[in-house]
Amino acid sequence: MIDESTDKSSTKHLAIVSRMVQSSNFEVKDEFVKLIEVSDASAKGVYDAIIHFFNTHDIPYKHNLAGFASDGANVMFGNKHSVKTLLEQDVPHLFVIKCLCHSLALCASYACEKLPNDVENLVNEVYNYMKFSSKRQKQFQEFQEFLDMKPYKLLQPSQTRWLALHACVKRMVDLYKSIKLYFQAEHLLDNKATTIYQKLSNPINELYLHFLNFILPILTNLNIEFQSQKPKIHYIYSNMERTYKTILESYMKYDYIKNTDTPHIQYRNPSNFLPLDKLYLGAHCMAELSKNLLSKTDKDIFLTNCLNFLVECCHQFYKRFPFNSKYVQSLKNLGFLDPKNMNIISISHAASDFHIILGLDLNELDSEWRMLRHTEINKSDDAVEFWRAVKLLKKGAWLASCYLNYPMKN
């Protein structure tokens, strides 16, 4: 796994991390390998730096390297010329995967560009108005207490807004009444507060915040899931597919989604869209929208912008996790790693991605899998514990267990 970064002195560095399974205790561990200074951050420059490191330390990477992961930048993962394509020339059966957390964050970031800037500007303006004034912060706290609300501070929007945006939006939604009441009093004394109060008084801005408070957690919760310290690779496809379809159902016809294979869903085809007034934008947003506080024109603009957000989000999702690609299908085949999926008859599809580089005999491997399905072993453990127990099985005892559980007829 690699990542490139530039420090304050404008020096580019490349971090290399290895992920290995320790044979002694069957534990998956990430180890920091090296921080390399690179003068050329192009695909060829990064590739040369990695290969030079391998060769300098006599690492037989063409034999040992099973997988490669990085962020989804073109330098790293472009289809025509990238670190990925150069490594694949050396290791044709390399398993590659983009950083899912980074990919999901970018989905949210690009989708947010389909909404008016006023929404993000409002969050920034409210925070900036109070951040340097303890007097204003104290007064705002008094307004919260007046409304019997817990006194919370406003959160600072981050420059990398896709990491902090939902937390800021949620806090704004939770405190909206007290914020509006505060600026209602403040705008009589300060022209800056007047501009903010006018935006807070526009119901369309509150609707956008409610919409974001509904849609962003769908992505951020999945992001958190894949930051787990435990291996989650066998859950990636199912979790990504479930999230993708959840977003699709907000603006597409349910029957179409249900009856179409995920890789073939035409997420940008208007003929499969719901009417604007049938979009699902979250419970709070729908409740506020039903109060008819917007004119028909403003309502149509709001719904259209939300639709554009959802379509762009799905586009970015599919772009970074193409369900019909070889690598994503490989992830789908890894579902057998979940101990609860022992009903799978064959693991040949999953093994075919690795049998050459790992020197596997597919027939022998599949036979062992089919015997394992009938072996007395605790199948309720988590994946690591389950496969650690499998590793300790001896073939003789294994076969005996199978025959005892399923005796042969005379």
Side-chain angles (χ1 to χ4, degrees):
M1 296 181 287
I2 65 172
D3 195 15
E4 182 266 329
S5 183
T6 304
D7 64 18
K8 290 184 178 180
S9 64
S10 298
T11 303
K12 295 182 182 296
H13 288 91
L14 182 71
I16 301 179
V17 175
S18 68
R19 173 168 293 168
M20 298 174 289
V21 180
Q22 295 185 336
S23 58
S24 58
N25 58 5
F26 202 69
E27 184 176 350
V28 180
K29 293 194 69 177
D30 290 349
E31 298 283 358
F32 173 73
V33 177
K34 185 74 173 179
L35 187 67
I36 303 173
E37 184 176 325
V38 290
S39 57
D40 180 7
S42 67
K44 185 67 165 56
V46 173
Y47 165 81
D48 287 342
I50 297 170
I51 301 307
H52 176 73
F53 170 78
F54 286 153
N55 291 335
T56 300
H57 294 85
D58 296 322
I59 298 172
Y61 73 94
K62 291 185 180 181
H63 178 267
N64 286 5
L65 193 60
F68 166 67
S70 74
D71 62 30
N74 282 333
V75 167
M76 300 294 186
F77 253 84
N79 290 325
K80 294 183 179 179
H81 181 70
S82 62
V83 177
K84 177 194 77 125
T85 59
L86 291 170
L87 286 173
E88 286 177 326
Q89 291 176 12
D90 293 339
V91 189
H93 300 282
L94 190 68
F95 185 87
V96 300
I97 187 170
K98 298 177 184 178
C99 172
L100 292 178
C101 295
H102 190 258
S103 296
L104 289 168
L106 288 175
C107 290
S109 182
Y110 279 105
C112 284
E113 293 179 1
K114 298 297 180 179
L115 300 182
N117 291 332
D118 285 352
V119 184
E120 185 181 4
N121 291 341
L122 177 60
V123 177
N124 279 288
E125 288 169 4
V126 169
Y127 176 81
N128 290 333
Y129 187 82
M130 299 186 189
K131 69 175 180 179
F132 294 125
S133 174
S134 58
K135 178 183 177 182
R136 290 174 178 174
Q137 293 175 25
K138 177 63 177 176
Q139 290 173 339
F140 177 55
Q141 181 178 332
E142 292 172 356
F143 275 91
Q144 294 180 70
E145 293 171 352
F146 175 76
L147 294 174
D148 293 327
M149 301 174 69
K150 290 185 178 180
Y152 287 116
K153 291 184 177 181
L154 293 166
L155 299 179
Q156 180 179 11
S158 171
Q159 291 298 316
T160 51
R161 62 179 183 148
W162 35 266
L163 287 175
L165 182 58
H166 175 241
C168 295
V169 167
K170 186 178 187 308
R171 185 60 56 86
M172 277 285 290
V173 169
D174 292 341
L175 302 179
Y176 203 86
K177 287 184 179 179
S178 59
I179 293 172
K180 186 176 178 181
L181 187 62
Y182 169 80
F183 280 97
Q184 183 178 359
E186 194 74 6
H187 91 281
L188 300 173
L189 307 172
D190 189 331
N191 289 333
K192 289 183 179 179
T194 300
T195 302
I196 297 174
Y197 177 65
Q198 289 172 347
K199 292 181 179 180
L200 290 167
S201 300
N202 187 344
I204 199 169
N205 288 323
E206 185 175 4
L207 284 169
Y208 280 123
L209 290 171
H210 279 300
F211 169 65
L212 288 172
N213 199 35
F214 150 69
I215 194 68
L216 290 178
I218 295 175
L219 297 173
T220 55
N221 290 341
L222 185 59
N223 194 316
I224 293 170
E225 171 74 10
F226 291 133
Q227 293 179 35
S228 169
Q229 295 298 311
K230 292 186 177 182
K232 296 280 187 177
I233 195 168
H234 50 298
Y235 294 132
I236 289 177
Y237 186 92
S238 59
N239 284 2
M240 293 291 280
E241 183 182 41
R242 181 164 54 248
T243 299
Y244 181 60
K245 286 189 172 182
T246 298
I247 300 172
L248 287 172
E249 287 176 5
S250 296
Y251 73 96
M252 299 196 79
K253 299 171 183 175
Y254 176 76
D255 288 342
Y256 170 73
I257 297 172
K258 181 180 178 181
N259 298 320
T260 308
D261 290 339
T262 303
H264 301 134
I265 292 176
Q266 298 179 10
Y267 57 84
R268 290 196 286 189
N269 187 344
S271 65
N272 301 316
F273 291 1
L274 295 169
L276 274 181
D277 60 349
K278 299 298 183 182
L279 298 180
Y280 182 76
L281 307 177
H284 282 291
C285 184
M286 303 292 284
E288 291 297 316
L289 201 59
S290 66
K291 296 178 182 179
N292 295 318
L293 299 176
L294 300 179
S295 66
K296 185 181 185 309
T297 300
D298 285 344
K299 183 176 181 180
D300 287 345
I301 291 173
F302 170 75
L303 292 173
T304 301
N305 287 335
C306 290
L307 173 61
N308 291 337
F309 178 105
L310 295 168
V311 174
E312 183 64 24
C313 186
C314 288
H315 172 60
Q316 295 296 332
F317 202 105
Y318 195 94
K319 182 179 177 181
R320 288 165 171 76
F321 197 79
F323 289 93
N324 62 346
S325 73
K326 169 190 172 184
Y327 302 111
V328 171
Q329 287 298 309
S330 296
L331 292 171
K332 182 179 182 180
N333 294 331
L334 293 179
F336 79 93
L337 292 171
D338 186 345
K340 299 180 179 62
N341 287 342
M342 298 300 290
N343 59 322
I344 295 174
I345 301 298
S346 170
I347 61 172
S348 59
H349 291 299
S352 63
D353 292 319
F354 304 97
H355 77 283
I356 295 179
I357 195 169
L358 298 181
L360 305 175
D361 183 315
L362 290 183
N363 284 334
E364 182 179 352
L365 189 70
D366 231 14
S367 295
E368 289 186 359
W369 166 256
R370 292 168 71 84
M371 285 190 290
L372 177 63
R373 295 169 65 239
H374 305 302
T375 303
E376 283 296 314
I377 187 171
N378 189 348
K379 299 180 177 66
S380 63
D381 287 333
D382 68 30
V384 174
E385 292 302 318
F386 173 76
W387 289 103
R388 182 182 284 121
V390 171
K391 182 178 183 294
L392 297 175
L393 287 174
K394 302 297 183 182
K395 187 170 288 189
W398 193 351
L399 288 169
S401 174
C402 292
Y403 290 132
L404 286 172
N405 288 323
Y406 295 89
M408 298 289 287
K409 292 183 179 179
N410 291 333

